[in-house]
Amino acid sequence: ETHLDVAALRAAFPVLDQRVHDKPLVYLDNAATTQKPAAVIDAVANYYRHDNANVHRGVHVLSQRATEAYEGAREAVAGFINAEREYQIVFTRGTTEAINLVAQSYARPRLQPGDEILITEIEHHSNIVPWQLVCEATGATLRVARVNDAAEIDRDDFAAKLGERTRLVAIGHVSNAFGTIHPVNELIALAHRHNIPVLVDGAQATAHMPVDVRALNADFYVFSGHKLFGPTGIGVLYGRESLLEAMPPYQGGGDMIETVTLEGSTWNELPAKFEAGTPNIAGAIGLGAAIRFLADFDLDAIAAHEEQLRARVTAELAQIDGLRLIGTAGHKAAILSFVMGEAHPQDIATILDSAGVAIRAGHHCAMPGMARFGLEGTARASFAAYNDESDVDALLAGLRSAQRIFA
Ligand code: PMP
């Protein structure tokens, strides 16, 4: 097992080196967004400082540099998730836009009244609402696989709901609300036995474990740059070539066309077909830089490190009176969702904030998932590669003082 140099990794993130409320910052809101290493901040700044130009059509030097950097980022992303071809990487605004793209361009033209889309009940709203919209527009039905009390997918229920009319399965890789790592390999294999394509929402996976879209055999895999130490406003849709080829454009505009006449237009090739307008060039370059930064570290070692933190926090939380962990899956990421007696999650987060510890409170954009556990919200501490034992100490100390306050 490769060792992770957490101190070196942490030192690369300037924002972590500060005090809030006169306490050292302890950042445990990584499921909402991750911090950015200097390499990413510099890549974005350097692009604007030296190379800023529009991509693809310019003959001048700056446009060529911008294009090279933008397409270089695509190459980095393709390598990072082991895509077959670079053109299967479509840059989007984020996970949300990538899912909406698939909903509108893949699902919508194919759905007939009575057809079905299958999700789970602990999806992020961005993997629920786009399907509701497309079902409403087509008369299709959104079906929902249940989870057990540990927030693990009920495989029998999932299998039972995969049917003749299922046209697409959309599942999270890792639940942002409860940390569950779904057995996506197995679920994809099961769906494929019925010839049903699967979209995997990888927003919470890519920064925390190696992801190989070919090994998964995913038909679509989507994620956000900002949860992977990259900028906001940039994300990725990976798609199987045959599916992307068969899909109509999502938006019309510059760059996505081959020819335009006032009578009609023809479409550019992949991936340009899905990238209408001037893209988020700096964002893509920043994402590329984040991936190159991560290449210096071993993702298996990052996963092992986060697992060690998760195991310790889980054991210690069990010692805090009145604290109840929600989501106790056997296979889960370092995302810990909990409630404490009658205390409002917002109040727990406020007490922790005064101790310098940043966590999140609320429904985490997973209201149906919260409802499954009879809750409106939880407090959630979520870890990333740069978190260490001192962060765990600060979280636990903060929670113990919160517990004393509420007792
Ligand atoms: N899916 C999951 C599992 C997420 O955690 C998030 C972000 N919280 C999203 C989708 C949406 O990502 P974004 O807001 O970056 O589009």
Side-chain angles (χ1 to χ4, degrees), residues 13-237:
F13 291 76
V15 77
L16 295 175
D17 184 21
Q18 66 173 296
R19 296 171 75 82
V20 295
H21 301 304
D22 210 27
K23 308 280 184 345
L25 169 66
V26 173
Y27 187 77
L28 297 176
D29 195 17
N30 293 287
T33 200
T34 56
Q35 299 301 345
K36 322 304 171 197
V40 167
I41 299 166
D42 292 347
V44 172
N46 284 333
Y47 163 70
Y48 280 127
R49 199 175 284 278
H50 301 293
D51 306 325
N52 177 59
N54 211 329
V55 289
H56 293 150
R57 286 167 314 280
V59 291
H60 61 79
V61 171
L62 264 53
S63 178
Q64 287 176 20
R65 275 195 225 141
T67 303
E68 261 165 46
Y70 181 69
E71 293 304 326
R74 194 188 311 278
E75 189 183 334
V77 171
F80 181 65
I81 60 170
N82 196 29
E84 296 87 343
R85 308 271 183 193
E86 280 155 36
Y87 55 71
Q88 290 168 269
I89 303 301
V90 175
F91 284 124
T92 65
R93 215 153 49 76
T95 304
T96 302
E97 190 180 47
I99 296 174
N100 277 280
L101 193 166
V102 174
Q104 293 302 322
S105 289
Y106 177 78
R108 189 172 181 151
R110 284 170 179 74
L111 290 176
Q112 301 291 321
D115 283 348
E116 297 171 358
I117 288 176
L118 179 59
I119 61 172
T120 82
E121 67 182 321
I122 57 170
E123 297 307 316
H124 188 279
H125 293 163
S126 68
N127 198 27
I128 301 175
V129 183
W131 308 119
Q132 289 176 333
L133 289 171
V134 83
C135 284
E136 209 166 288
T138 59
T141 304
L142 186 59
R143 303 206 71 193
V144 181
R146 301 299 164 194
V147 300
N148 64 20
D149 291 341
E152 295 166 316
I153 189 164
D154 179 332
R155 287 166 160 90
D156 294 336
D157 192 53
F158 178 86
K161 285 171 177 162
L162 270 182
E164 283 289 293
R165 301 301 303 264
T166 315
R167 296 289 170 259
L168 184 75
V169 170
I171 42 171
H173 195 163
V174 176
S175 159
N176 68 303
F178 306 111
T180 311
I181 302 175
H182 288 301
V184 280
N185 250 319
E186 197 184 306
L187 302 178
I188 290 171
L190 194 56
H192 284 178
R193 256 179 259 151
H194 299 260
N195 292 316
I196 301 163
V198 180
L199 175 142
V200 179
D201 168 0
Q204 295 296 340
T206 49
H208 309 283
M209 62 186 71
V211 169
D212 180 333
V213 292
R214 267 191 269 181
L216 283 176
N217 212 2
D219 300 282
F220 298 106
Y221 196 96
V222 300
F223 59 98
S224 299
H226 72 97
K227 296 187 199 267
L228 179 61
F229 313 117
T232 50
I234 189 77
V236 171
L237 163 64

